[in-house]
Amino acid sequence: MGHGVPELVLETNGRTWTLDPSRAYILGRDPQGDIVFDDARVSWRHATVSFNGRSWVIEDHGSTNGTYVQGQRIQHMELGPGSSLHLGNATDGPRLNLSAAAAPVAGPAQQPQAAPYAAQGAPGWAQQSPQQAPAHQQAAPQHAVPHQGPGHQQAPQPDWQQQPAFPQQQAGPAEPYAQTPGGDAGAPPVHGDRSPTTFHQFALGRVMRIGRALENDLVVSDLQVSRNHAEFHATPDGRFEIRDLGSHNGTYVNGQPIAKGGSALLGPSDIVGVGHSTFRIVGDRLEEFVDTGEVSFSARHLTVTVDGGKQILRDVSFGVPEKSLIAVIGPSGSGKSTLLKALTGYRPANQGEVLYDNRNLYKQFAELRQRIGLVPQDDILHKELTVKKALKYAAKLRFPADTTAAERDARIDEVLRELKLDIHKDKKVTSLSGGQRKRVSVALELLTKPSLIFLDEPTSGLDPGMDRDVMQLLRGLADDGRTVLVVTHSVAELALCDKLLVMAPGGAVAYFGPPEEALNFFGYDSWADVFSAFENYRDYDWAGRWKGSQHYQMYAADVDSVAPQAVQMPPMQAIRPPKPQGWFSQFVTLVRRYVSVIASDRGFLALMVLLPAVIGSVSLLIHPDRGLLPNGPNPQTGQIVPNGTATTVLLILAVGACFAGAANSVRELIKERVIYERERATGLSRSAYLMSKVVVLGVITGFQGLLVGVIGFGRREIPDEGLVLGHATLLELSLPIMGLGFAAMMFGLIISSLVKTAEKTMPLLVMFAIIQVVFTGCLFALHGTVGVNEFSYLMPSRWAVAASGATLDFNRISPPETAGDNDPLWNHTVGAWAGDMIALIALGVLCGFFVARFLRRHEPEVMRK
């Protein structure tokens, strides 16, 4: 070794190493490393110490828990004798002390720097040189675009190339370094390489029961966990087994659910998930890791391709540590919504991976989805309810069935206090301001204590003051130990965020880093100028310019340089989330909530009674003195005289009932679509949801049909005895009207499940009602009309009018022109009446089947087969 080349002595835990300047030293848990640490807080390959030709430096490799000097987290800094640092924790992590060896280190001992890179004199690799930036990145837009000829395609020279060195950034919790969460090569995905929260000792042959109840061996204070959730069994042959005890939210092994009441043998590297806790068996002890919300998160090489090969998301990579607030901005068409769906697992990317604290979200979505909260742009609550009641129904649906009302109320009150909504808990959601309503939507998601919260345009439509309040709320959520990502168009409060992700047209990353450096990076004075540049230079390689920048090296290179575990993700199997509540319990809760929503709408209640009353009364205006009985024969010809009043009255009553039934339901699914999408992802049963609508609306529609029939038929002369119900002829005539209202209501649900906006429902409703008028059989004879008659069998009005017509004997009231050519559906027989009613009900059931199928289109893609 040459004279004057410095050596450094590194001491930790009583051991010393004399470091040779001619080589680098890898620090971490990897047994193949140079300096090995047996501490779970240290990452697999945590950092490297090397001599750069001028001084000794340490470089953190994007470790999960960080490297600290004097309490500050560092990424890259110079070292010298007298320096000391901690790995994995700023206070009690493994400590490294540095001292001089025989050869002196050039220069005095370096003080720890407050930033990963100094403004002047940063290491050579951290400074962008012309050789580092590809040629195509030497051009970008600037403030004023010079006059160019029509064919000139090259973007003008940008201001950013003449900008001074980037200012120093303050390290600390508010400015963490972009790094690869759990990005250490070969590291097992054990809760982000964190230290176990606690240990539990196994005894041979012993059973260790896990649950929320105090009588369990291992009590988990988590409302996502059932009272008696699962059991660990230590078998006599030294193996271990996990058995689910019929838990409501499921037990998971390596992110995959085991059968309810089933069991699975465990290997040495298997991870068991129960609620927010994960467990690993190490030797004869059980290590527990509790997810308290402080998790890292990263996306690696996300690409989304749609039919035709068009990429709407292109190689998106970024990483954020725990307790971070990240904003995503970009022009229309930049893939922000697609990115949000890819990050939440709702629509997995075709390529790439999303890491939740070093766990692959796509591969372990069944378990990790419970730790992700999503607040869509539209409010995910019923505005007719009070704040407390809306949260009460949400908690009832999301928490296990064995959760007591007191436990749910305590959690609701805790969330309301945290978001300062306790003073508004008895107000209707409709009476709140836009910002307060958004707080309620956030409160609904916080009930289950998610560690990751995603928000889509939470400030859309809010004034600047409310915009600031919402962003300050999100800042507080992040500071309290959550990772928050918000997609927004508002740029007024970006300074509150830790990191900013700017998406360019075409779905690529144009910038990722501190928000205060973003405009300087683009070389503009305002975001309006940046967005204009995106529009004016849509073909410019914004992603290439970003990857050739110094900011990329500082904030994203570590994540982007690590190839995903599977470049091409296999197609995800449909995920059926476990249902926290049983089917009947969900059904009862949904019915109660729906009744509460309807009962709070006095306008709807009044219309529910007024509409059928008006329809029935209008029919009384048509020859009020005439009955609905067959006329006698013409004395001169001997032929039956048609009773046109009967067919006209029945036509009006049928069309009115049809219109009322469809009007009841035509908006019900579209107005709750966002709510359904979110609740479905949290375990809502599709059939329970649909049946709650069918039952409640069916009762309302049946009442309306009965009212129409009683008013329309009750004042007229009708047969003394019916076909089926004897002297209850009025009820027998009203039953087909009630059945028609029900079938029309089911058709209305089909319309509501198909349309994209509520405005499109009314034209379809009118068209549906008009079609029913034509195919009642009252305007012209359907029987014998080839094609038309067969098509009429699909219309509920055809069967309803036929059933009432069978009771009234329409073949005598309105005989056909050709003798003997009677309509068989109108035959005055029990069989004809029963067949008409069965067909009417069957149409309603068939509609229910189609509604259930159409509802699948509005569920997270990962849940579809």
Side-chain angles (χ1 to χ4, degrees):
M1 189 177 302
H3 177 73
V5 179
E7 291 181 347
L8 195 67
V9 175
L10 186 151
E11 183 273 332
T12 177
N13 198 25
R15 297 176 297 166
T16 60
W17 288 264
T18 300
L19 306 187
D20 183 352
S22 63
R23 54 163 298 193
Y25 293 82
I26 297 176
L27 286 60
R29 293 199 337 269
D30 185 359
Q32 304 300 318
D34 300 294
I35 303 176
V36 182
F37 297 86
D38 185 17
D39 191 302
R41 294 169 295 182
V42 179
S43 292
W44 197 251
R45 290 179 175 246
H46 194 103
T48 297
V49 175
S50 61
F51 186 76
N52 65 1
R54 185 187 61 168
S55 62
W56 287 94
V57 294
I58 184 169
E59 178 185 349
D60 187 281
H61 292 312
S63 63
T64 299
N65 295 316
T67 303
Y68 299 86
V69 174
Q70 294 185 358
Q72 295 181 333
R73 186 166 182 166
I74 58 97
Q75 181 78 10
H76 184 282
M77 69 167 287
E78 297 183 359
L79 301 172
S83 300
S84 65
L85 50 93
H86 290 273
L87 304 181
N89 188 285
T91 55
D92 62 351
R95 179 181 177 128
L96 283 70
N97 297 311
L98 304 171
S99 58
V105 177
Q110 299 292 319
Q111 294 300 318
Q113 303 175 13
Y117 309 102
Q120 306 295 334
W125 66 269
Q127 300 176 355
Q128 184 176 5
S129 65
Q131 290 76 19
Q132 286 176 306
H136 68 276
Q137 295 155 3
Q138 301 302 314
Q142 59 183 9
H143 297 294
V145 179
H147 294 290
Q148 302 171 358
H152 193 86
Q153 298 297 322
Q154 183 181 3
Q157 290 294 319
D159 291 347
W160 65 271
Q161 288 181 327
Q162 285 79 39
Q163 295 292 334
F166 297 105
Q168 282 185 292
Q169 302 302 309
Q170 295 299 318
E175 278 298 325
Y177 293 95
Q179 49 184 285
T180 312
D184 314 275
V190 183
H191 211 286
D193 291 332
R194 301 183 188 279
S195 297
T197 306
T198 185
F199 303 95
H200 308 276
Q201 198 69 33
F202 263 122
L204 191 62
R206 180 187 168 194
V207 175
M208 183 177 291
R209 177 172 290 187
I210 302 174
R212 207 173 70 249
L214 296 178
E215 63 265 19
N216 289 285
D217 302 295
L218 202 164
V219 179
V220 179
S221 176
D222 182 356
L223 291 183
Q224 294 286 83
V225 177
S226 298
R227 298 186 64 81
N228 295 292
H229 196 104
E231 288 178 343
F232 281 102
H233 287 251
T235 60
D237 60 359
R239 304 181 71 185
F240 294 91
E241 181 184 49
I242 181 69
R243 297 180 185 174
D244 183 84
L245 299 178
S247 64
H248 296 280
N249 279 324
T251 304
Y252 301 84
V253 176
N254 300 324
Q256 303 303 314
I258 63 175
K260 193 169 186 176
S263 62
L265 287 172
L266 301 176
S269 61
D270 288 335
I271 306 297
V272 176
V274 174
H276 285 80
S277 298
T278 50
F279 301 89
R280 179 179 62 178
I281 296 176
V282 179
D284 60 348
R285 71 178 185 179
L286 184 68
E287 296 183 348
E288 179 182 4
F289 302 81
V290 179
D291 186 347
T292 58
E294 298 180 353
V295 298
S296 56
F297 185 72
S298 67
R300 294 178 179 172
H301 305 286
L302 298 183
T303 297
V304 173
T305 306
V306 295
D307 295 338
K310 180 182 178 182
Q311 288 186 347
I312 54 179
L313 206 64
R314 182 160 46 92
D315 196 27
V316 175
S317 298
F318 65 93
V320 291
E322 60 194 38
K323 300 169 67 171
S324 297
L325 174 59
I326 307 97
V328 180
I329 65 172
S332 299
S334 59
K336 299 188 299 297
S337 297
T338 303
L339 175 63
L340 189 65
K341 292 178 181 179
L343 295 177
T344 56
Y346 270 44
R347 198 286 186 198
N350 300 98
Q351 295 181 357
E353 62 185 4
V354 177
L355 294 183
Y356 174 103
D357 221 23
N358 204 30
R359 301 176 66 184
N360 191 306
L361 176 64
Y362 292 168
K363 293 181 179 178
Q364 304 186 31
F365 181 78
E367 176 188 354
L368 296 180
R369 64 170 188 84
Q370 302 181 56
R371 308 185 192 182
I372 296 175
L374 174 61
V375 181
Q377 182 174 348
D378 297 323
D379 294 327
I380 49 176
L381 38 85
H382 293 86
K383 298 175 182 160
E384 300 85 357
L385 302 178
T386 64
V387 172
K388 182 73 177 283
K389 188 171 287 188
L391 295 181
K392 197 170 183 177
Y393 285 121
K396 178 72 173 173
L397 289 171
R398 297 192 182 194
F399 289 138
D402 59 8
T403 307
T404 64
E407 288 175 314
R408 291 193 300 268
D409 289 342
R411 179 57 188 156
I412 292 170
D413 291 338
E414 182 182 352
V415 170
L416 290 175
R417 285 193 300 270
E418 180 180 1
L419 298 183
K420 299 180 175 58
L421 286 170
D422 46 339
I423 60 175
H424 303 295
K425 64 181 180 180
D426 295 322
K427 296 180 182 178
K428 284 190 175 183
V429 177
T430 50
S431 67
L432 302 178
S433 66
Q436 290 168 341
R437 283 202 302 270
K438 192 57 64 176
R439 282 177 178 264
V440 179
S441 293
V442 174
L444 192 151
E445 289 299 310
L446 290 185
L447 289 175
T448 54
K449 297 185 177 179
S451 303
L452 282 174
I453 302 178
F454 296 88
L455 301 99
D456 188 9
E457 299 287 353
T459 60
S460 178
L462 302 183
D463 61 46
M466 291 182 180
D467 183 355
R468 180 179 58 194
D469 291 343
V470 171
M471 292 301 292
Q472 288 177 340
L473 164 69
L474 303 183
R475 176 71 264 171
L477 293 178
D479 292 340
D480 287 341
R482 304 174 184 93
T483 300
V484 183
L485 186 144
V486 53
V487 174
T488 180
H489 278 111
S490 175
V491 296
E493 305 296 333
L494 295 180
L496 292 173
C497 302
D498 297 305
K499 291 289 186 294
L500 175 65
L501 177 66
V502 182
M503 300 295 292
V509 177
Y511 173 82
F512 178 75
E516 61 269 18
E517 296 182 14
L519 288 176
N520 183 40
F521 171 82
F522 287 106
Y524 289 99
D525 296 325
S526 70
W527 283 108
D529 293 331
V530 175
F531 279 48
S532 294
F534 283 147
E535 180 64 29
N536 295 333
Y537 303 97
R538 298 188 71 87
D539 295 332
Y540 179 73
D541 187 8
W542 296 100
R545 174 176 181 260
W546 157 243
K547 290 189 175 182
S549 68
Q550 186 184 36
H551 279 74
Y552 171 81
Q553 296 294 334
M554 295 168 66
Y555 301 114
D558 287 342
V559 176
D560 206 24
S561 63
V562 180
Q565 296 175 8
V567 177
Q568 180 68 45
M569 290 293 296
M572 293 183 63
Q573 296 180 347
I575 298 295
R576 287 189 177 184
K579 298 176 177 59
Q581 304 279 329
W583 188 95
F584 186 75
S585 178
Q586 285 195 6
F587 170 73
V588 171
T589 301
L590 290 167
V591 168
R592 291 178 57 193
R593 183 176 70 178
Y594 194 22
V595 171
S596 297
V597 170
I598 292 176
S600 65
D601 189 347
R602 296 181 180 178
F604 178 81
L605 293 176
L607 188 62
M608 182 179 71
V609 177
L610 186 62
L611 182 61
V614 169
I615 293 172
S617 300
V618 167
S619 70
L620 296 177
L621 300 177
I622 301 170
H623 301 292
D625 56 334
R626 294 186 184 178
L628 305 179
L629 299 175
N631 292 328
N634 188 316
Q636 299 177 352
T637 63
Q639 294 181 343
I640 299 295
V641 178
N643 183 355
T645 301
T647 54
T648 304
V649 167
L650 193 54
L651 172 65
I652 292 176
L653 297 182
V655 172
C658 187
F659 186 85
N664 286 339
S665 61
V666 76
R667 290 177 178 265
E668 288 307 303
L669 299 183
I670 180 63
K671 76 179 184 181
E672 290 187 0
R673 182 162 297 171
V674 176
I675 299 175
Y676 172 75
E677 289 177 359
R678 183 62 192 130
E679 290 184 341
R680 179 70 176 135
T682 61
L684 178 70
S685 166
R686 184 196 311 132
S687 58
Y689 175 79
L690 178 57
M691 283 303 298
S692 71
K693 296 292 184 186
V694 171
V695 169
V696 175
L697 291 175
V699 170
I700 293 173
T701 304
F703 164 77
Q704 291 177 325
L706 181 62
L707 191 59
V708 168
V710 169
I711 296 176
F713 294 122
R715 296 288 299 275
R716 296 182 185 272
E717 186 180 3
I718 57 177
D720 293 332
E721 188 171 348
L723 289 170
V724 179
L725 300 182
H727 294 290
T729 311
L730 180 60
L731 179 59
E732 186 176 311
L733 288 171
S734 299
L735 282 176
I737 302 300
M738 297 167 64
L740 175 58
F742 174 81
M745 180 266 293
M746 298 301 294
F747 267 95
L749 289 178
I750 287 182
I751 295 174
S752 191
S753 65
L754 288 175
V755 296
K756 293 185 178 180
T757 61
E759 289 74 16
K760 295 180 180 179
T761 59
M762 293 312 295
L764 294 174
L765 172 62
V766 173
M767 182 179 69
F768 171 74
I770 292 175
I771 291 176
Q772 299 311 304
V773 173
V774 175
F775 290 100
T776 56
C778 297
L779 296 180
F780 61 92
L782 292 172
H783 178 65
T785 309
V786 179
V788 176
N789 185 45
E790 286 73 19
F791 182 75
S792 71
Y793 293 161
L794 299 175
M795 303 299 149
S797 62
R798 172 75 160 113
W799 300 102
V801 169
S804 293
T807 299
L808 294 174
D809 197 1
F810 262 19
N811 281 325
R812 289 186 60 204
I813 286 179
S814 182
E817 295 180 1
T818 304
D821 196 17
N822 293 336
D823 190 335
L825 301 185
W826 289 1
N827 286 340
H828 189 59
T829 63
V830 173
W833 188 91
D836 295 337
M837 290 299 296
I838 291 173
L840 182 60
I841 296 173
L843 275 178
V845 173
L846 182 64
C847 289
F849 171 78
F850 282 112
V851 174
R853 301 298 294 177
F854 294 148
L855 277 176
R856 292 180 65 252
R857 303 189 313 160
H858 309 301
E859 299 172 1
E861 187 171 325
V862 70
M863 295 173 61
R864 306 177 203 165
K865 290 184 180 179

